[in-house]
Amino acid sequence: MDGDHQLIVTSCGRELIRRQCADDPALLRVLMRAGSAEPEPDILPKLEARIEAVRQMLHSATPGVIATLCPELLALHQLYEGDMAGRHDRHVLIHSCSWPDQQAVNLIAEWLEGLGMTVETMRIGGLREGEKFLFKEAMAIFTRWCGNVLSNYKIYEFHIIFNPAGGSRILVGLLQTLAPFYAHESVYLLEPGRDLVHMPMPSVQTRGDRMLRQHLHALRRLFAGLSVHPEKLAKIPEQVLMADDEGHYRLSFFGELLWDHNRRDIYGEAMLEPISDRIIITERFRDGAAELDRGRFILLNERLDQLSFLLEAGEVNMDRTTLSLLSLRPLDAPLQESTHSCHGWADKVLWKLLGHYEGSRFVLDALVEG
């Protein structure tokens, strides 16, 4: 397995535990029917004993034996060609919300961490029958996570591998669908053998630039988490939207893909008009932003979207990390008409957005260095 920096996303199920309970029909029935809740107290101790036995086996067994325990471990064993010593890769294990799946994933995570790997587990909701909206919402959330997190790993030259080894067919299908957009390669176990096939993923740029530009203001508001007037929503292709039971709209799984793969190109062209009428931009501010390069235009437009959300939705509804990053605060002393500043970005120098309030509206006075 080549590459100094790798991030491996593996879909996981309950097979690791199920196989260890194959000799007990009562335990198997509980595992197959289990939801997110913990099993009944009369059966839980027996299950916990089997789980502990698997944990001990993972600590003591040879790599060859571990590879026989479940498809997820077999795929990882094959991926590393049986030698995981000295590796410090990052792993993300995605799984359903069911109790057996979570227990199995915890065991795999412990095993990987014991080998020196960095591991994150991620639950994907909506995999039960009758939870169609929850699944669509989970797909959209996972797609946004891929756009935010995996795109950054690519910047730092991590080699990203999707490993749809276990779990439900829907979970496997989710990784297979997203692999061409976010992974450098995807790996598959050939049935019924033990061979692992590596499939390089082509770089995919989703078509949709024209549609995004046509509805840019509305889509920017949706991505930021703000409401959009029903008349504007009605003009947007329905496949890029999803609504909950209360009629609140957001970008769908497909909408997130379109947005993520075109947003930087659009945001990097010039400063866009704010998505909220609570922001007023002065000519002085526009002049200061006129000569920015592509990367800084992207950062500036992201800040304008975040500031729009803060002004409309308030601090209490804003993600704590984003709120800290924006860092809107009063100046120690007024600077001409400006009374407040917020963080722009930091490259060679620190850039700030200066402004002042006029009632509920915020006037951006200047974009300054230092």
Side-chain angles (χ1 to χ4, degrees):
M1 185 174 178
D2 299 326
D4 293 330
H5 304 287
Q6 297 181 116
L7 185 143
I8 302 160
V9 182
T10 301
S11 62
C12 301
R14 66 192 67 182
E15 190 69 6
L16 176 60
I17 296 176
R18 190 200 68 79
R19 290 187 182 184
Q20 302 308 312
C21 298
D23 63 333
D24 191 325
L27 291 182
L28 281 180
R29 283 194 297 271
V30 171
L31 289 177
M32 297 309 295
R33 298 172 182 173
S36 58
E38 193 174 79
E40 295 296 327
D42 61 330
I43 199 73
L44 182 59
K46 294 182 68 175
L47 282 171
E48 290 179 334
R50 296 296 180 103
I51 291 170
E52 181 58 30
V54 176
R55 179 179 286 109
Q56 296 303 320
M57 188 183 305
L58 289 172
H59 283 307
S60 60
T62 64
V65 171
I66 289 174
T68 67
L69 298 180
C70 65
E72 297 91 332
L73 293 174
L74 173 58
L76 291 171
H77 176 80
Q78 294 287 69
L79 189 59
Y80 286 96
E81 298 178 348
D83 183 11
M84 303 178 75
R87 302 295 313 192
H88 299 285
D89 294 328
R90 297 174 183 265
H91 290 260
V92 178
L93 308 178
I94 65 172
H95 59 94
S96 78
C97 297
S98 71
W99 185 85
D101 289 24
Q102 293 183 67
Q103 300 305 309
V105 164
N106 289 341
L107 290 171
I108 296 173
E110 290 176 17
W111 174 69
L112 287 169
E113 289 170 344
L115 295 170
M117 309 287 185
T118 300
V119 185
E120 175 185 352
T121 63
M122 180 181 299
R123 293 188 301 174
I124 305 295
L127 300 183
R128 294 170 61 88
E129 186 176 352
E131 295 181 344
K132 185 176 180 180
F133 171 77
L134 292 178
F135 176 63
K136 288 183 177 180
E137 182 179 43
M139 286 198 304
I141 292 171
F142 183 66
T143 302
R144 182 174 292 202
W145 176 86
C146 288
N148 291 338
V149 176
L150 298 188
S151 297
N152 286 332
Y153 275 108
K154 284 187 176 182
I155 291 173
Y156 289 101
E157 299 184 350
F158 273 75
H159 185 73
I160 298 173
I161 300 172
F162 276 17
N163 176 29
S168 70
R169 287 178 294 178
I170 298 177
L171 204 56
V172 169
L174 180 60
L175 280 192
Q176 291 173 333
T177 300
L178 293 177
F181 295 91
Y182 297 109
H184 293 103
E185 65 174 304
S186 190
V187 294
Y188 299 91
L189 281 169
L190 289 181
E191 297 292 346
R194 298 164 59 88
D195 293 330
L196 195 72
V197 175
H198 295 250
M199 297 183 64
M201 292 292 107
S203 177
V204 175
Q205 285 295 324
T206 308
R207 298 186 181 276
D209 178 86
R210 181 177 178 182
M211 185 277 295
L212 291 178
R213 292 179 187 275
Q214 184 178 357
H215 305 287
L216 185 57
H217 184 271
L219 293 173
R220 286 172 64 199
R221 285 185 63 86
L222 288 172
F223 186 78
L226 295 172
S227 62
V228 174
H229 194 279
E231 289 185 5
K232 291 187 176 181
L233 286 172
K235 297 177 182 179
I236 300 174
E238 62 180 17
Q239 63 265 35
V240 304
L241 301 176
M242 60 182 291
D244 60 22
D245 294 337
E246 298 178 355
H248 299 136
Y249 280 84
R250 55 169 294 168
L251 294 181
S252 68
F253 163 72
F254 182 59
E256 291 279 353
L257 280 178
L258 284 177
W259 185 251
D260 181 60
H261 282 266
N262 291 280
R263 178 181 62 85
R264 289 175 178 82
D265 288 338
I266 297 173
Y267 275 33
E269 293 175 352
M271 183 182 72
L272 301 174
E273 292 303 310
I275 57 175
S276 174
D277 60 8
R278 294 193 181 183
I279 295 179
I280 301 172
I281 298 181
T282 63
E283 288 304 316
R284 181 184 171 201
F285 189 95
R286 293 181 187 278
D287 290 343
E291 301 300 324
L292 296 178
D293 59 26
R294 178 181 182 275
R296 289 172 174 173
F297 274 134
I298 293 173
L299 293 170
L300 175 58
N301 286 317
E302 289 175 346
R303 291 294 177 271
L304 292 177
D305 290 354
Q306 293 161 359
L307 183 58
S308 295
F309 182 90
L310 176 62
L311 293 172
E312 288 198 21
E315 289 188 11
V316 67
N317 294 308
M318 195 167 197
D319 173 77
R320 297 294 97 183
T321 301
T322 306
L323 183 62
S324 176
L325 182 63
L326 190 60
S327 190
L328 177 63
R329 61 187 61 185
L331 294 170
D332 293 334
L335 187 60
Q336 298 182 23
E337 65 270 36
S338 299
T339 59
H340 288 69
S341 73
C342 70
H343 176 71
W345 58 88
D347 37 36
K348 295 180 181 178
V349 295
L350 178 66
W351 288 74
K352 296 180 180 179
L353 287 68
L354 300 181
H356 66 276
Y357 282 97
E358 290 185 359
S360 63
R361 307 177 83 181
F362 190 76
V363 180
L364 286 171
D365 300 313
L367 178 64
V368 299
E369 299 180 35

